[in-house]
Amino acid sequence: MTAFVQYTLSGLVIGGLYAIVALGFYIMWSAVRAVNFAHGDTLMLGSVLAIALMWAGVPLLVGIPLAIAASAGFGLLIERIAVRPLNHGPSSVGWMLSTIAIGLMLEAFVTITFGADPRSLPSPLMGAPISIAGAGIFPHELLVPVAAVALLALLDWFYRATMLGRAMRAIAQKPVAAGLMGIDVRRMALISFAAASALGAFAGILAAPIIQVSATMGLLLGLKGFLVAIIAGMSNARGIVITGFAYGVLERFIEGFGNTSLREVLGFGVMILLLLMFPNGLFGQREVNKV
Amino acid sequence: MKPNRFTAGVALPAVVFAVVLVAIPELVSNSFQLRAVMLFLIYALVALGLNLLVGLVSLVSLGQAGLYALGAYTVAILATQTGAGFVLAMMGAIAVTAAAGVALSYPTVRVRGVYLAVVTIAFGLIVQNVAIDWRTLTGGTLGISNVPRIDLGTGPLSTTGLYGLIAAITFVGFVLHHNLMHSRIGRAMRAVAQSETASRALGIDPTRQRVLAFVLSSVFAGIAGGLYAYLNRYVNPDTFSFSDSIRFLLMVILGGSGTTFGPLIGAGILTWIPNLLQAFGKWQLFVYGALLASVIFFLPKGIAGSARDLWLRWRVGRNQSVRQADAWPKPSPGVDALLGVRATVRGPVLQTRDLTIRFGGLSAVSGVTVDIERATVHAIIGPNGAGKTTLLNALSGFYAPTEGRVTLLQDEVGGRSSVQIARGGLTRTFQNTELFPEMTVEENVRVAFHARSRCGFLSTVLRLPAFHAEERLQRERAALLLDYVGLAAYRDETAANLAFGHQRRLEIARALALSPEILLLDEPAAGLTHAEIDELIALIRDLKRLGVTVVLVEHHVDMIMSVSDHVTVLDYGEVIASGAPSAVREDPRVIEAYFGAGTVPTGAHA
């Protein structure tokens, strides 16, 4: 019973992280039907910058916003130089390769300058674990799923209630028509990538006291986040968060009863099967093919 | 047998490649260098296989290292644990990777592009983690050591002997890769990548082509992995990571995807470059990423692709003769023999009974019953949104009927795929002209012969006499058809470069290459000039003369009245009139559907 609660709780923590990563993919995909494939690296960038600034003596309260802002700038750059010139329709994958390339460069750069050893950020909430039904968890860890749900609510409000959000939804549905209505499609793309990257950096910093921060931390986080987003169906934010939690819990259970390799094997296996059974996603809408 | 353009273009470089392979043991100074060459050849084999996937069917795999690993582990396990010899172990690797290829290609039925790339990444990670975790079989992170030397019955192979074997296998792989690319199979694969819709209308099954490409690329990777196990005599999970999959893909893109020599060039550069990158010390990985980025931005067609483009431009620059399309149709005895329809069944060739197509709650076509008679021109007209194109899509198998029956040549076909219907003698053109834009005019026509080809896979990749005979026959027939539509002068032009009216002609020529009994034309006159419409009318009459049944969806009233034997009028998905053109023209319900009330002004474009 205790193990059951423990796996569920820690599953919700890692699942919350996947959900936030997946929401970043959702934001980018909605705007341009393409994503920063190195989105996982924005988590790495945000947390590495926050740690580096802390080492440089900048207080965390200043350093964290700076790290997030810098990551947003990275997102702008990715959209402008790596995605926009190579995004020529639904089947083009040039942007995928170009963003992977930039991700490789970023990882290599961070390995050299920051070092290959994993680090972490301190948090006042990592002092003593609290006990829930016999399972131990640090208060800071609970912040992750809470943040995922709060971000979902915020996004929901933004897309529904603000002019900018409505414009983005219009672009997601009919980019050409949205452009004709005077919406600046390119500006929206830039904003989306900046917002997604800021969100990624925020997730990285939030997770930095819990998981190991290193140059290569982004690959698996990004891949799993993307899988979560497409399994859920790219167009449904709520579904994405639910799927993220479910995947996190599933992983923790497999890991608990097996090991980390088995976690990847079964986790990815289940994801591929789900994608085959529901090609439009568990929560997505069917798209009719027109001849 | 006169060599065609492609074999002539490749023969010399292939001979050079073979000579270099033979000379290399004499050129390198030590076995360390010889091993580096072997590694290059193994990578080249993976890249050649991946090129079939990326270059022909335009699917991107980022899990090729997983397939390579499967081959290497299968050989290592069979050789160390069961004592299997080289041939048996390699057969095992081929079987395992072919099965994995089938499994991996299954997603392509439903997902493509970036989704598929993610599935392949996940596949690669699954393989790697299984290798780490299944310790009893794979030795876990320690891997499998002491893979025995190859023994072909004459004692363990020396390093030079191993080189000979690897060089021979890679060379055979190279030749098969080239032969496949320049064959009907290669053309069908490219067609599927360029327009899935048009491929299906020509009876080419896109799924089959994708599965074939996936299996072939998997087997290439598996054989390469097996050779790697024998070369290294040690396999462990570190060799098969995600970054290795990226490297394989980079080899293909850097060299030039879809070209014969690109994979060799890419594999060569990326095998030597780590040595060059030593100079960059710890910046190696960074430079590697920068290289990938620069290739994608500045050399998206790769080295061989860009070189080919330059050469083509230079050739076009030198050959500035003015080409002109001929008047068409240009009947000839050859075309008559090719297209003439011999009646096989009596009665209507195409019938529907109470055909209904619903989307959600909306009926686009409801209760339509028509009989289309052999060797007639049957027009389907109606106001915008009347359901004409939906009906055409149902007749050609692109939509399945919700209710009712469709009978083609007395064969119930409702619910059959467009591929089967096309093979059954009915094909079509499209409202928005669906060509294979990056193929030449001649290739566009030749793709359509695919469904009727008799020459099998082995005869094709081995270039047996049957292959050459069929290629020659198809070239002749393509020439006949291009001459028929007056495009002979444009044979080697890229289809996308044709003028709009010429694209229409090409689409019709391509459909005729199937020798259809029934041809559906979806608004063939849209966007054409008056002169071009007159030629189109002449074509339709000529097809009728040859016994081809033409079903015509059209808005151009003059044209309909002058060529049709029978007109069916749809409104809101229902048949409101059907009969001879003159009778339909006077039908009050038709007049009302078009104008609400009043009369049809003569010569109006409804």
Side-chain angles (χ1 to χ4, degrees):
Chain A
M1 180 60 198
T2 307
F4 186 83
V5 176
Q6 183 73 60
Y7 296 154
T8 308
L9 279 177
S10 56
L12 289 175
V13 174
I14 189 73
L17 195 57
Y18 295 152
I20 301 175
V21 177
L23 284 176
F25 283 118
Y26 161 76
I27 294 170
M28 293 184 278
W29 188 264
S30 300
V32 294
R33 288 282 180 276
V35 297
N36 172 11
F37 224 74
H39 183 56
D41 287 332
T42 61
L43 278 84
M44 182 270 284
L45 185 65
S47 47
V48 163
L49 283 176
I51 291 172
L53 286 168
M54 183 184 75
W55 287 348
V58 180
L60 278 180
L61 280 179
V62 181
I64 288 175
L66 275 180
I68 293 178
S71 303
F74 175 70
L76 287 180
L77 200 68
I78 286 266
E79 199 283 328
R80 185 64 194 85
I81 66 167
V83 175
R84 192 186 298 174
L86 299 169
N87 188 13
H88 313 293
S91 60
S92 77
V93 286
W95 52 265
M96 184 175 90
L97 300 174
S98 64
T99 56
I100 286 177
I102 290 176
L104 283 179
M105 289 161 73
L106 183 64
E107 281 176 28
F109 183 78
V110 171
T111 308
I112 293 160
T113 53
F114 180 74
D117 301 331
R119 316 276 176 173
S120 69
L121 267 181
S123 161
L125 299 176
M126 288 297 283
I130 53 173
S131 173
I132 300 174
I137 190 161
F138 289 104
H140 184 98
E141 292 186 88
L142 290 175
L143 289 181
V144 178
V146 171
V149 174
L151 282 169
L152 171 65
L154 185 70
L155 265 183
D156 216 41
W157 169 82
F158 169 77
Y159 278 120
R160 271 173 214 291
T162 67
M163 200 60 205
L164 192 62
R166 288 200 209 107
M168 285 183 171
R169 271 167 61 209
I171 291 174
Q173 288 176 19
K174 284 264 155 64
V176 175
L180 292 173
M181 293 302 110
I183 298 172
D184 188 339
V185 178
R186 293 183 159 184
R187 196 169 133 250
M188 296 296 156
L190 282 172
I191 294 174
S192 301
F193 272 66
S197 299
L199 195 60
F202 168 77
I205 293 165
L206 187 65
I210 310 168
I211 62 174
Q212 304 285 1
V213 172
S214 72
T216 51
M217 68 187 263
L219 174 66
L220 274 184
L221 280 173
L223 181 64
K224 289 176 183 174
F226 192 72
L227 273 168
V228 163
I230 61 180
I231 297 300
M234 273 288 193
S235 56
N236 187 322
R238 262 168 245 212
I240 284 173
V241 172
I242 293 169
T243 311
F245 282 134
Y247 188 61
V249 172
L250 175 76
E251 272 202 335
R252 276 295 181 262
F253 271 88
I254 300 172
E255 194 181 333
F257 293 110
N259 57 42
T260 50
S261 295
L262 195 66
R263 177 189 78 196
E264 311 299 11
V265 172
L266 289 183
F268 284 131
V270 167
M271 288 297 226
I272 293 178
L273 280 182
L274 282 177
L275 187 60
L276 293 185
M277 287 191 286
F278 306 96
N280 299 300
L282 295 169
F283 302 88
Q285 285 164 349
R286 222 175 100 79
E287 287 176 19
V288 177
N289 280 330
K290 280 201 134 184
V291 173
Chain B
M1 174 70 220
K2 207 172 65 176
N4 70 33
R5 284 164 284 149
F6 292 117
T7 47
V10 78
L12 181 66
V15 168
V16 171
F17 181 44
V19 169
V20 169
L21 285 179
V22 171
I24 271 177
E26 307 299 322
L27 296 175
V28 300
S29 48
N30 55 40
S31 69
F32 176 77
Q33 286 183 353
L34 192 60
R35 293 178 69 84
V37 175
M38 286 191 257
L39 202 58
F40 150 66
L41 290 171
I42 287 170
Y43 287 159
L45 202 53
V46 181
L48 286 165
L50 187 54
N51 189 35
L52 296 176
L53 199 59
V54 178
L56 293 183
V57 285
S58 289
L59 294 175
V60 173
S61 163
L62 280 170
Q64 219 62 11
L67 295 159
Y68 181 58
L70 274 184
Y73 269 100
T74 306
V75 162
I77 290 166
L78 287 177
T80 56
Q81 297 191 1
T82 71
F86 173 73
V87 174
L88 197 63
M90 288 304 266
M91 299 279 267
I94 290 172
V96 169
T97 47
V102 173
L104 260 183
S105 68
Y106 178 71
T108 63
V109 176
R110 299 189 150 182
V111 299
R112 283 194 270 292
V114 64
Y115 281 32
L116 178 68
V118 173
V119 170
T120 57
I121 294 174
F123 168 78
L125 290 171
I126 288 176
V127 172
Q128 200 184 11
N129 279 293
V130 168
I132 292 170
D133 197 40
W134 198 347
R135 289 186 201 86
T136 49
L137 192 67
T138 64
T141 46
L142 293 177
I144 300 170
S145 46
N146 292 326
V147 176
R149 286 179 193 280
I150 297 174
D151 187 342
L152 295 173
T154 54
L157 225 49
S158 66
T159 306
T160 319
L162 180 63
Y163 168 80
L165 186 66
I166 292 177
I169 290 175
T170 303
F171 186 75
V172 169
F174 165 77
V175 172
L176 294 182
H177 160 267
H178 168 81
N179 287 356
L180 186 87
M181 250 201 294
H182 299 290
S183 72
R184 70 180 177 93
I185 300 172
R187 284 191 291 272
M189 286 179 173
R190 282 158 64 210
V192 165
Q194 290 177 28
S195 170
E196 179 166 347
T197 308
S199 310
R200 285 166 59 194
L202 299 175
I204 298 169
D205 186 349
T207 305
R208 253 179 94 145
Q209 303 304 323
R210 292 198 188 102
V211 171
L212 181 61
F214 239 115
V215 169
L216 288 172
S217 90
S218 304
V219 168
F220 271 64
I223 292 174
L227 294 175
Y228 174 79
Y230 281 117
L231 172 66
N232 211 36
R233 303 188 54 204
Y234 167 65
V235 290
N236 77 340
D238 291 344
T239 326
F240 311 106
S241 64
F242 176 53
S243 60
D244 292 288
S245 290
I246 295 181
R247 188 174 40 167
F248 289 135
L249 185 61
L250 181 55
M251 286 175 186
V252 174
I253 296 175
L254 171 65
S257 73
T259 63
T260 297
F261 291 96
L264 294 183
I265 297 168
I269 292 175
L270 287 180
T271 314
W272 297 120
I273 242 174
N275 298 326
L276 297 177
L277 290 187
Q278 299 291 346
F280 291 97
K282 54 187 184 176
W283 286 89
Q284 269 186 61
L285 256 178
F286 185 84
V287 175
Y288 189 72
L291 182 73
L292 176 56
S294 357
V295 169
I296 292 159
F297 284 117
F298 305 117
L299 210 62
K301 291 190 169 179
I303 294 168
S306 304
R308 186 185 55 189
D309 281 2
L310 277 180
W311 183 73
L312 284 176
R313 207 173 305 157
W314 177 77
R315 201 183 61 165
V316 168
R318 273 166 43 105
N319 181 10
Q320 285 290 6
S321 63
V322 182
R323 284 168 307 178
Q324 197 136 31
D326 300 319
W328 71 308
K330 246 172 37 183
S332 63
V335 170
D336 285 6
L338 188 60
L339 298 183
V341 175
R342 259 164 289 146
T344 48
V345 294
R346 291 175 177 284
V349 286
L350 186 62
Q351 289 175 298
T352 69
R353 287 291 172 270
D354 299 317
L355 180 67
T356 299
I357 313 266
R358 251 183 241 122
F359 299 110
L362 185 85
S363 293
V365 167
S366 50
V368 168
T369 294
V370 288
D371 286 335
I372 294 169
E373 302 291 338
R374 178 176 294 283
T376 60
V377 177
H378 193 122
I380 296 169
I381 65 168
N384 285 327
K388 304 181 295 291
T389 296
T390 305
L391 179 59
L392 218 57
N393 284 338
L395 295 178
S396 52
F398 282 88
Y399 293 159
T402 319
E403 283 161 27
R405 287 185 298 143
V406 180
T407 312
L408 169 65
L409 301 171
Q410 295 185 348
D411 199 8
E412 170 71 34
V413 295
R416 279 203 208 153
S417 71
S418 45
V419 174
Q420 288 170 307
I421 289 178
R423 287 171 177 247
L426 180 151
T427 190
R428 63 175 293 181
T429 65
F430 295 88
Q431 211 170 328
N432 306 318
T433 315
E434 288 269 350
L435 292 174
F436 304 117
E438 286 156 43
M439 297 170 86
T440 67
V441 168
E442 187 197 32
E443 283 173 326
N444 263 277
V445 174
R446 286 177 67 186
V447 164
F449 295 128
H450 180 81
R452 298 272 170 92
S453 283
R454 296 250 163 76
C455 182
F457 179 80
L458 276 183
S459 325
T460 303
V461 294
L462 297 177
R463 302 247 151 137
L464 298 182
F467 166 81
H468 290 290
E470 192 171 83
E471 288 280 296
R472 194 170 47 230
L473 183 69
Q474 293 188 350
R475 261 198 305 279
E476 285 166 11
R477 288 183 170 172
L480 276 175
L481 286 167
L482 287 178
D483 196 45
Y484 182 58
V485 299
L487 289 181
Y490 293 89
R491 189 186 70 176
D492 296 325
E493 185 60 76
T494 307
N497 296 344
L498 289 184
F500 179 74
H502 293 174
Q503 294 196 0
R504 271 280 158 73
R505 292 194 202 185
L506 177 56
E507 199 191 18
I508 291 171
R510 189 183 64 184
L512 292 175
L514 275 176
S515 300
E517 290 199 37
I518 298 138
L519 176 64
L520 312 189
L521 300 172
D522 195 357
E523 300 197 18
L528 297 188
T529 63
H530 280 295
E532 285 173 326
I533 289 174
D534 288 340
E535 291 175 322
L536 187 62
I537 289 171
L539 169 88
I540 291 172
R541 288 192 175 132
D542 198 50
L543 290 178
K544 183 180 158 186
R545 172 182 69 81
L546 291 168
V548 179
T549 310
V550 178
V551 179
L552 182 65
V553 164
E554 196 37 81
H555 280 300
H556 198 283
V557 171
D558 281 352
M559 176 173 161
I560 291 162
M561 293 303 157
S562 66
V563 297
S564 305
D565 300 298
H566 194 103
V567 178
T568 298
V569 188
L570 290 182
D571 195 24
Y572 295 109
E574 291 177 27
V575 176
I576 58 168
S578 198
S582 51
V584 165
R585 188 176 197 147
E586 307 301 326
D587 192 308
R589 291 184 65 191
V590 176
I591 295 165
E592 197 189 320
Y594 273 90
F595 295 101
T599 52
V600 185
T602 42
H605 295 193

